[in-house]
Amino acid sequence: MKIANIFLYYLKSDLRNKRLHVIFSSVLIAILISIAEGGWPTDWKVAFGMLISFYLTFIGLFIYPLKSDLLAVLKGSDADPLLLYPISHKKLFILSLLYSFSIISIAIILYYIFTIIIINIKYNITVLININILLSMIISILYAGLFMLFSMLASGISKDSKQAIGLGYFITFILIPSISLITLYKGLNISVAPFYLYIAAITALYGNSNLPKTLVVRPVGPTEITIPVLTVGKAALIFAVYYILLIIILYYMFLRNLR
Amino acid sequence: MISVNNLSKSYKNRCVFNNVTLEINASTAIFGPNGSGKSTFLKLLGGIIYPDDGTITIQGYDVIKNREAALRHVGIMVDPIEFPATLKVKDIIEFIRIMNNISNNKIIEFIELLNINKKLYNNKYKELSMGEKKKLRLLNALSRGRNLLLLDEPFSNLDPNIQLNLLKLLLDIIKKKESIIVITSHNIKLGLLLTNNIYIINNCSIYSNYQKSILKIKKKDNTTLEVKVADPLKYNKILEFLSNISSFNDIDIEVVS
């Protein structure tokens, strides 16, 4: 009862706090899609779209929800309001992880719905909900679960929640995205990253473009999803910007608060 | 009630407590200069932060190893713990009621006593003033603290009439022996109105009578603090220390041989 109560009230608070962010991010995606339609080199458009997708994914799906008050304990803070109640630290840690997973899943579903709506309005593509897109959403949620799993496993290795979350972050944000990007670059049809949803959605818009090369072609209703093979230089650029952004975001929104 | 054994705590090479051992069995006021470790002490008692060394037990239960049993009826109000910023006041009140398992009547009684403005019920926590936030945090502590209340600077940022209400309530709790209250304060006047059991934190230690030299400390009148000391050699040091942490105009120190 009390655990359910905690979930309910914190969710209420977090959703109230983040609804503007969700709308803002979705509108931003729509604007970027419109800009990308302006005639830039096609592969640059895709590269740019991917970059922004990564950025929004990290802000929207991972870092921002992790700023929740409930997760203060996970970050090693002594400011978590739940510390006022007689819940063991272990239970608090697990509760924080589960809560984080729940809110990330909700965020993924919300982003998915917004993206579908925007693409439908802008491009009048009526049949975007198909098995591939649904799969990508499920993969995204599973990916969020991976982060939780790694953090929990790490918490078994180390009793220090700061180290546990650090390891979780490393595996989730550095190791797996790196593998994903490498597999994309190498032309393998493997994607376990949550930004796959964005890649799929944005690249769906280029179904009629004459992309120089396509990596994967998936039928999506009346159009096709095409993922281009990146050149080495552009892949390197995406990597560089991605990690710079990641370090800045992690520092200002997370690491800075560690004690 | 509270047993502290060989407690040590430091922050980045700054010693806060070094091998402190003490027992608290009655309501107590803790004084000390800024940064001496008053809030840290309450956080350690409440199991919010871990000691570097030593143990703390409440009613025989270790606050780290057996947190749930130790803190079952312990109300805590310490900085920087705040409620979620975007929860509305009415949601927070309901949250407090459910989490602390108290009746509607009881929470209404506390709300009236703390004079929480009903017009603010639809406001978010982050929109409240410092004083209003404090009232909600006090409401939570009072609702929970059936055995023990740990209150960090409970009187600061409150209007004088609310301070008086709170003081009356705390005195009533002490009189009826409903709960043991441990407060920290800069204000020796208010602290002494509540209890004569005093601890003073200074130089990594906690003294039940400062440097074992203070025999008696009490409020003489609104402007004067009366202190009796045993050791004439520590007279000046005690005077300087009490001047730093108290709001009294005069401190009468008498050396008792």
Side-chain angles (χ1 to χ4, degrees):
Chain A
M1 173 60 191
K2 282 184 180 149
I3 296 293
N5 191 49
I6 292 167
F7 258 86
L8 188 73
Y9 279 91
Y10 277 80
L11 202 57
K12 203 171 181 179
S13 170
D14 281 333
L15 289 182
R16 192 176 281 151
N17 198 17
K18 289 164 185 59
R19 64 186 168 196
L20 277 178
H21 168 78
V22 170
I23 293 166
F24 171 78
S25 302
S26 304
V27 171
L28 189 62
I29 291 171
I31 292 168
L32 289 168
I33 288 166
S34 303
I35 292 170
E37 279 296 289
W40 293 356
T42 306
D43 52 349
W44 275 103
K45 281 194 284 185
V46 177
F48 186 63
M50 284 175 75
L51 180 65
I52 296 302
S53 301
F54 300 151
Y55 176 77
L56 287 176
T57 305
F58 282 114
I59 291 287
L61 302 187
F62 289 95
I63 306 290
Y64 206 78
L66 282 171
K67 279 190 78 189
S68 160
D69 292 294
L70 180 57
L71 303 172
V73 70
L74 204 63
K75 291 181 267 182
S77 165
D78 60 4
D80 191 321
L82 289 179
L83 288 170
L84 297 175
Y85 302 100
I87 307 168
S88 74
H89 284 277
K90 197 174 277 179
K91 276 187 191 163
L92 268 180
F93 188 71
I94 293 168
L95 179 67
S96 304
L97 288 172
L98 290 176
Y99 177 80
S100 175
F101 178 64
S102 306
I103 201 163
I104 287 170
S105 301
I106 289 168
I108 288 169
I109 292 165
L110 284 176
Y111 274 83
Y112 171 75
I113 291 167
F114 272 110
T115 307
I116 295 291
I117 290 169
I118 288 164
I119 290 171
N120 271 305
I121 292 170
K122 173 84 178 151
Y123 296 98
N124 198 26
I125 300 169
T126 50
V127 195
L128 260 173
I129 302 168
N130 79 347
I131 193 69
N132 283 326
I133 296 287
L134 283 175
L135 270 176
S136 71
M137 187 175 76
I138 292 163
I139 288 169
S140 302
I141 292 171
L142 289 175
Y143 184 74
L146 270 181
F147 164 60
M148 300 303 137
L149 184 68
F150 283 126
S151 296
M152 287 188 77
L153 284 174
S155 74
I157 300 164
S158 165
K159 286 180 182 172
D160 185 345
S161 62
K162 282 180 276 184
Q163 287 176 19
I165 194 112
L167 189 57
Y169 264 85
F170 172 77
I171 293 167
T172 316
F173 296 137
I174 296 175
L175 208 59
I176 295 178
S178 298
I179 294 167
S180 296
L181 281 170
I182 290 164
T183 55
L184 270 177
Y185 169 67
K186 290 287 184 188
L188 301 172
N189 183 13
I190 301 167
S191 181
V192 290
F195 37 76
Y196 174 79
L197 172 65
Y198 292 109
I199 297 167
I202 291 172
T203 50
L205 303 172
Y206 301 104
N208 296 324
S209 303
N210 294 317
L211 293 173
K213 292 173 190 173
T214 56
L215 172 66
V216 189
V217 179
R218 296 179 178 85
V220 181
T223 183
E224 286 182 333
I225 291 178
T226 53
I227 299 177
V229 172
L230 300 171
T231 62
V232 175
K234 280 157 197 163
L237 181 71
I238 288 173
F239 266 101
V241 178
Y242 164 74
Y243 284 113
I244 289 167
L245 277 175
L246 182 66
I247 288 163
I248 293 169
I249 293 163
L250 282 178
Y251 177 75
Y252 278 101
M253 300 183 83
F254 178 71
L255 297 172
R256 190 174 60 158
N257 298 322
L258 287 181
R259 287 189 299 106
Chain B
M1 177 78 175
I2 301 173
S3 181
V4 176
N5 294 300
N6 306 317
L7 174 75
S8 294
K9 178 74 184 171
S10 58
Y11 290 124
K12 291 180 184 171
N13 301 327
R14 185 174 72 85
C15 169
V16 184
F17 298 116
N18 184 23
N19 206 25
V20 168
T21 296
L22 58 87
E23 298 257 339
I24 297 176
N25 290 308
S27 292
T28 301
I30 297 167
F31 303 114
N34 282 335
S36 58
K38 299 189 296 294
S39 301
T40 299
F41 184 59
L42 287 198
K43 281 183 198 170
L44 288 162
L45 293 186
I48 289 167
I49 54 174
Y50 293 175
D52 298 337
D53 208 358
T55 58
I56 298 164
T57 59
I58 296 176
Q59 291 189 318
Y61 297 107
D62 189 299
V63 294
I64 301 298
K65 289 177 186 161
N66 205 347
R67 196 167 187 274
E68 285 173 284
L71 303 177
R72 187 161 290 140
H73 296 302
V74 178
I76 311 168
M77 189 196 72
V78 287
D79 284 334
I81 296 185
E82 304 269 4
F83 286 103
T86 49
L87 268 188
K88 290 182 178 176
V89 171
K90 61 180 181 186
D91 293 331
I92 290 172
I93 292 172
E94 184 60 9
F95 184 74
I96 289 170
R97 194 186 68 74
I98 295 172
M99 289 301 286
N100 298 324
N101 200 21
I102 64 164
S103 66
N104 263 330
N105 288 343
K106 191 70 185 169
I107 206 153
I108 288 168
E109 188 187 314
F110 286 138
I111 286 169
E112 285 172 358
L113 187 132
L114 293 168
N115 198 17
I116 295 172
N117 191 345
K118 285 192 169 66
K119 288 178 185 169
L120 297 173
Y121 275 26
N122 279 317
N123 284 53
K124 290 174 188 169
Y125 184 74
K126 65 180 177 185
E127 295 164 355
L128 303 180
S129 66
M130 292 276 280
E132 296 295 340
K133 284 179 181 173
K134 181 140 203 172
K135 286 179 192 175
L136 283 172
R137 293 163 62 215
L138 271 168
L139 178 71
N140 184 53
L142 292 170
S143 303
R144 168 131 234 117
R146 273 160 260 180
N147 286 349
L148 175 65
L149 272 169
L150 304 172
L151 305 175
D152 187 17
E153 301 280 357
F155 302 107
S156 63
N157 293 318
L158 293 176
D159 295 337
N161 59 325
I162 310 294
Q163 280 188 354
L164 193 63
N165 276 355
L166 180 64
L167 188 65
K168 279 180 189 168
L169 175 77
L170 296 180
L171 283 169
D172 198 41
I173 291 170
I174 291 172
K175 193 177 167 185
K176 290 178 183 168
K177 295 186 176 173
E178 287 174 350
S179 183
I180 286 179
I181 299 169
V182 180
I183 68 158
T184 66
S185 183
H186 282 102
N187 192 328
I188 284 193
K189 272 182 194 176
L190 280 168
L192 287 176
L193 281 173
L194 204 61
T195 175
N196 282 327
N197 298 321
I198 288 168
Y199 283 103
I200 293 172
I201 298 180
N202 204 21
N203 296 329
C204 300
S205 290
I206 303 178
Y207 303 97
S208 57
N209 43 11
Y210 184 58
Q211 295 193 334
K212 303 194 188 302
S213 295
I214 298 175
L215 298 175
K216 188 177 180 182
I217 180 165
K218 73 172 197 176
K219 190 182 146 201
K220 192 173 179 182
D221 53 48
N222 278 337
T223 57
T224 312
L225 187 69
E226 189 179 86
V227 182
K228 289 185 180 177
V229 298
D231 184 353
L233 295 174
K234 290 178 179 168
Y235 181 98
N236 285 336
K237 203 169 178 183
I238 289 168
L239 181 63
E240 185 189 344
F241 176 75
L242 290 173
S243 302
N244 283 339
I245 64 165
S246 80
S247 53
F248 286 90
N249 296 332
D250 297 308
I251 297 170
D252 284 352
I253 298 192
E254 183 187 344
V255 178
V256 179
S257 53

